[in-house]
Amino acid sequence: KQKRDLHQAILDYLEQNEFDDAAEAFRRESHTEPAPSSSSGMLVKKWTSVLRQQKKILELENQLTLMQSELASGSGARKKQNKDCIPRPPAIHTLKAHKGNITSVKFHPIFSYNGIFSSIVTASEDATIKIWDFETGEYETTLRGHTNSVQSVAFDHSGNILASSSADLHIKLWNFSSSSKECMKTLKGHEHNVSCVIFSPGGDHLYSCSRDKSIKKWDVNTGYCTQTITGHDDWVRKVIINDEGTMLATCSSDQTLRTWNVTNGQPLGVFREHTHVVECIAFSPPNIVPLTPEAEKNKKKNQNSGVYIASGSRDKSIRIWETATQQCIFMLDGHDNWVREVIFHPNGKHLMSVSDDKSVRIWDLQERRCIKIFSEAHGHFVACADFNHKDPHLATGSVDQTVKIWACK
């Protein structure tokens, strides 16, 4: 099969470049039939990929040499930096290829995927999903299949499956482990724009939320919807799940956050204090710094500091909520426009946020203040962001149709 594929790729290359006599001679002597039109240009793509991978291998070998040198000299600076460093300007890469607003960005969960490159996936209102190497800023490929704006993308824990949701009412599952990244399943059931998707920690289930006011649970293997959760009074903007896989949280245009029992879909709590649409939410990491006097006492007893949810709203505020009491314990003010994404830093000490005021802000959670501002991070609204836990980088996507990569220092 490999020999046949190679012959078809060579034949396609000769025909595409109008080497008609050579193509005819090659077809006759190799007994090769033309490849399907979907495989057109494969030889050029493969050759480009080989060159890119050779470049990446050289870069990784240089990094390995540097790390071995650091290890031999006993330097621990790199390890410390990777734990506590925060994003800083300027951006190391600006990714340009989309023809619409950027709606979602996600780093691949496995660093140096396949040992060759580090992927980031971007979604856009242009109805496409694009894959990039975030370390080099190079474009890889485009996934097409949705017929309207792609609203959200998410990986399962292994990075083998990519899920996407769209204003076309559909959810698609893509085989990210294959070279073609083909669509494996299309999940249908929502009656309006599908705002967000996220996998369960084990990867067996997918959760989605929609403008139809519902949250749905899907079996990844069969593609069937196994549960529908209702309770919000308006568009459900985002759904997230805690690390244990026991609690869902959602936010909505009805100005509330809600938490749900994953097992039975029953409501656990309603959080009301925002005065406008709640755009985004995030669960705190297990190592979160103590944020209440009670949490400080628990820390001294070597107990958990509690579970918190950060929320960002069109009322321009960020609120930190304690899930146990369903109380807002403090508010972070500073953004001058809608807050579009909030992300806890994995060190448990900082929170990152992006906004339609074009800025990125870094907050110290214990001091409850902003410690870093990228005031003109993009030329237009900053609509989404993601943080790479394996190799600390921040990615931001904007209405200016670009994605920027920010290194942590």
Side-chain angles (χ1 to χ4, degrees):
K1 185 179 183 299
Q2 288 181 336
K3 184 177 180 180
R4 182 198 66 195
D5 291 346
L6 176 60
H7 285 175
Q8 287 181 332
I10 293 171
L11 179 60
D12 172 71
Y13 176 79
L14 294 172
E15 290 177 340
Q16 290 290 326
N17 289 274
E18 299 182 354
F19 300 134
D20 297 334
D21 293 342
E24 181 59 34
F26 183 79
R27 178 192 288 125
R28 185 175 58 255
E29 293 182 20
S30 64
H31 307 290
T32 300
E33 294 299 321
S37 58
S38 60
S39 300
S40 180
M42 186 58 67
L43 188 65
V44 174
K45 292 177 184 177
K46 291 290 186 183
W47 178 248
T48 303
S49 177
V50 167
L51 292 177
R52 187 180 295 122
Q53 290 175 13
Q54 285 178 336
K55 178 182 175 183
K56 191 62 184 177
I57 288 169
L58 288 174
E59 290 175 354
L60 290 172
E61 286 176 344
N62 290 335
Q63 291 178 19
L64 179 60
T65 301
L66 178 62
M67 293 175 71
Q68 287 174 333
S69 175
E70 288 179 354
L71 186 62
S73 65
S75 171
R78 184 179 181 89
K79 183 177 180 180
K80 182 178 180 181
Q81 182 192 47
N82 283 348
K83 179 181 177 182
D84 292 323
C85 58
I86 62 174
R88 297 183 187 277
I92 60 171
H93 297 299
T94 299
L95 314 182
K96 300 178 181 179
H98 281 293
K99 297 179 181 178
N101 301 347
I102 309 299
T103 55
S104 184
V105 293
K106 283 291 180 295
F107 285 102
H108 193 279
I110 310 299
F111 176 60
S112 289
Y113 179 65
N114 278 350
I116 296 172
F117 62 89
S118 301
S119 293
I120 185 170
V121 172
T122 60
S124 169
E125 290 183 3
D126 65 12
T128 70
I129 301 161
K130 294 186 184 296
I131 303 171
W132 316 73
D133 181 328
F134 79 83
E135 287 195 319
T136 64
E138 293 183 2
Y139 163 78
E140 295 286 342
T141 190
T142 297
L143 306 183
R144 292 182 174 87
H146 285 293
T147 57
N148 206 331
S149 172
V150 183
Q151 302 290 77
S152 172
V153 286
F155 283 105
D156 72 342
H157 69 286
S158 69
N160 290 330
I161 303 176
L162 176 73
S164 59
S165 68
S166 170
D168 65 11
L169 317 189
H170 298 158
I171 298 163
K172 289 184 179 290
L173 301 181
W174 308 83
N175 184 357
F176 207 81
S177 62
S178 74
S179 59
S180 60
K181 310 288 190 293
E182 72 276 5
C183 178
M184 302 184 296
K185 292 184 179 70
T186 298
L187 314 184
K188 302 177 182 179
H190 279 295
E191 298 175 358
H192 213 314
N193 191 331
V194 189
S195 316
C196 182
V197 285
I198 191 162
F199 283 93
S200 62
D204 295 333
H205 296 97
L206 183 78
Y207 295 89
S208 61
C209 62
S210 167
R211 194 172 180 177
D212 65 14
K213 308 177 189 178
S214 75
I215 303 109
K216 290 184 180 290
K217 179 181 181 180
W218 307 82
D219 186 300
V220 172
N221 290 323
T222 64
Y224 294 141
C225 176
T226 59
Q227 188 178 49
T228 299
I229 301 170
T230 58
H232 279 292
D233 299 323
D234 206 335
W235 189 339
V236 188
R237 295 279 174 170
K238 183 160 285 192
V239 57
I240 58 175
I241 190 167
N242 65 351
D243 290 340
E244 295 75 27
T246 57
M247 182 190 297
L248 289 176
T250 53
C251 62
S252 168
S253 294
D254 65 13
Q255 303 180 17
T256 70
L257 290 70
R258 296 173 188 255
T259 50
W260 314 85
N261 183 309
V262 165
T263 304
N264 56 26
Q266 291 301 304
L268 297 174
V270 182
F271 304 70
R272 308 176 190 271
E273 278 192 37
H274 281 295
T275 58
H276 209 320
V277 172
V278 186
E279 286 277 347
C280 51
I281 47 177
F283 274 116
S284 61
N287 61 336
I288 185 75
V289 292
L291 299 180
T292 65
E294 187 64 29
E296 190 67 53
K297 293 177 184 177
N298 289 340
K299 183 182 178 182
K300 291 177 180 177
K301 299 176 185 177
N302 293 321
Q303 295 177 357
N304 193 290
S305 295
V307 179
Y308 305 92
I309 296 175
S311 61
S313 168
R314 292 186 185 180
D315 64 16
K316 307 177 188 178
S317 74
I318 298 167
R319 293 179 182 269
I320 307 297
W321 310 80
E322 189 175 36
T323 59
T325 62
Q326 299 170 28
Q327 297 297 310
C328 175
I329 55 176
F330 62 89
M331 184 169 65
L332 300 172
D333 276 323
H335 281 295
D336 297 324
N337 210 329
W338 298 357
V339 181
R340 300 296 295 273
E341 194 84 72
V342 288
I343 304 171
F344 282 97
H345 192 291
N347 66 13
K349 302 173 184 177
H350 301 110
L351 183 79
M352 297 163 280
S353 61
V354 303
S355 165
D356 279 0
D357 63 12
K358 307 179 188 177
S359 77
V360 175
R361 292 174 185 253
I362 315 294
W363 308 82
D364 186 298
L365 290 170
Q366 283 194 308
E367 296 183 9
R368 303 183 182 185
R369 67 181 182 90
C370 181
I371 59 170
K372 190 74 179 176
I373 304 173
F374 313 170
S375 57
E376 292 290 333
H378 282 269
H380 212 310
F381 303 155
V382 189
C384 54
D386 191 34
F387 191 79
N388 189 330
H389 290 211
K390 303 293 185 182
D391 182 21
H393 286 78
L394 177 71
T396 55
S398 171
V399 173
D400 67 12
Q401 303 182 11
T402 70
V403 174
K404 292 190 177 184
I405 309 296
W406 312 82
C408 293
K409 303 173 184 177

